[in-house]
Amino acid sequence: MEYQEFVEMFRRSLSETAGIDSERIQFEEEGGRFAEKGDRLLIEFADHEDSTEICALHTEELYDLYQKGKTPQELVQEVAQDIEEARSAQVYQRARELSEYEKIRGELFIRLINEERNRKNLEDAIYRTIGDIALVVYARMAESESGISSAKISERFTEIWQKSKDEIFTEALLNTYFISPPRIYRWEELIFDPEYSGENFMDIVSEHSLLKTAIGNCLSTSRKINGAVAVFLPGVAERIYDLLNSDFYIVFTSIHEAMIHNVESVKKEDLQEILNDITDKVTPKEEFLSSCIYRYSHDTKQFSCVSGSVK
């Protein structure tokens, strides 16, 4: 089935399965108002007096799953279930609470995106940059087994909450650690154990070790979603330094994870070649994070781009 045929079939089938009028499920090509980074299906699934709740699906991702063996019926059922969870998640009520800092402060968290590719999205955001990476403040609006629904926090909330950008960012960074605790994932466990939940290497009571060979270590979070943020969370970089007894390189293969390498075990030029190959051939464009190889320096406590370019 060709892409356009798949999208239309999916739209009709989802309408029937989820009980949503087909006119409320619209396809928008990349470049549209709600599809800046890839084609999307926009699904209006709940109406309120002052707003409408919309779910947006990346149709290219769905088509890729279809080509890899998932049936259209399986995909439709999964999306219909996600929509039903969204209906019962009280996102609308949470959105109304955004004006009250004490009610929303515990839901603030940090998400990483590439700065250059998301300049428009960052125009009114609260964020900091490290090289070509933007650490952006979001609020968790709802949560389900399939992930977290969130809303970007704009600069106007500094006035509404009477809080500075630094205060909001710091709150979000600390929350992120507890919402998505950092984990190291060992390749052999990932491959053979579907229930594997990673190594809690931040636990200083138990013994932990990291690979000091060229193969490196996969760093993410307990959720494995938007897990590349882990390296920037409080105490994580210094803990990795202690376990490696060395400065280290960070290779951001996507927004979901980063590879950690002892600087003494591999050349940054080799890592750059690997990163370029992965981001060109493997990483979906909406999950791309950085074209740089970063180094963490224990002496300066800073991250810096040491290979690649920051535009």
Side-chain angles (χ1 to χ4, degrees), residues 2-3 9 22 37 78-79 100 113 117 153 161 168 172 181 188 204 209 226 241 244 259 274 308:
E2 296 297 322
Y3 175 66
M9 178 281 301
S22 60
K37 296 185 289 183
E78 289 176 6
V79 171
E100 300 180 53
I113 61 175
R117 298 190 182 188
I153 298 301
W161 294 340
I168 295 169
E188 63 274 17
I204 61 174
S209 62
N226 297 310
Y241 171 84
L244 290 175
M259 291 302 299
I274 292 171

Side-chain angles (χ1 to χ4, degrees), residues 63-236:
Y63 188 62
D64 182 56
L65 291 171
Y66 162 70
Q67 289 184 310
K68 290 178 178 177
K70 281 227 173 186
T71 68
Q73 292 75 22
E74 288 175 328
L75 293 170
V76 167
Q77 287 293 337
E78 289 176 6
V79 171
Q81 182 178 344
D82 289 344
I83 290 173
E84 188 56 38
E85 289 178 354
R87 279 173 168 159
S88 60
Q90 298 185 324
V91 173
Y92 174 71
Q93 180 61 34
R94 180 61 57 79
R96 292 175 68 98
E97 294 175 351
L98 277 175
S99 62
E100 300 180 53
Y101 183 70
E102 291 305 318
K103 287 186 176 181
I104 206 68
R105 63 184 299 181
E107 308 301 332
L108 301 176
F109 71 99
I110 299 295
R111 175 173 288 166
L112 306 187
I113 61 175
N114 179 266
E115 182 185 25
E116 179 65 26
R117 298 190 182 188
N118 294 275
R119 288 199 178 278
K120 186 175 181 181
N121 192 37
L122 291 170
E123 286 179 356
D124 64 344
I126 297 175
Y127 68 100
R128 293 178 184 173
T129 57
I130 297 177
D132 62 346
I133 297 172
L135 291 77
V136 190
V137 177
Y138 282 77
R140 183 171 54 172
M141 307 302 288
E143 188 173 358
S144 67
E145 292 184 1
S146 58
I148 294 174
S149 298
S150 60
K152 182 185 67 177
I153 298 301
S154 65
E155 289 182 322
R156 67 187 179 90
F157 281 99
T158 58
E159 296 182 6
I160 295 173
W161 294 340
Q162 293 296 294
K163 299 290 181 181
S164 69
K165 290 182 183 180
D166 285 344
E167 287 176 299
I168 295 169
F169 186 90
T170 300
E171 185 78 35
L173 193 65
L174 290 172
N175 287 345
T176 307
Y177 188 101
F178 296 104
I179 292 173
S180 301
R183 294 288 186 269
I184 288 289
Y185 289 89
R186 305 194 186 284
W187 293 114
E188 63 274 17
E189 297 289 344
L190 278 173
I191 294 171
F192 297 110
D193 184 1
E195 302 300 320
Y196 179 54
S197 58
E199 310 292 327
N200 183 13
F201 68 100
M202 295 297 290
D203 177 11
I204 61 174
V205 176
S206 304
E207 284 193 20
H208 295 279
S209 62
L210 297 183
L211 293 175
K212 298 181 181 182
T213 59
I215 192 171
N217 305 269
C218 181
L219 174 67
S220 187
T221 63
S222 58
R223 297 177 180 274
K224 302 180 188 176
I225 298 174
N226 297 310
V229 70
V231 74
F232 298 124
L233 297 180
V236 171

Side-chain angles (χ1 to χ4, degrees), residues 3-4 7 11 25-30 39-42 59:
Y3 175 66
Q4 292 296 340
V7 171
R11 190 181 73 85
I25 305 177
Q26 297 295 324
F27 176 69
E28 185 167 316
E29 290 186 345
E30 182 176 14
D39 299 345
R40 286 188 170 189
L41 272 184
L42 305 175
T59 52

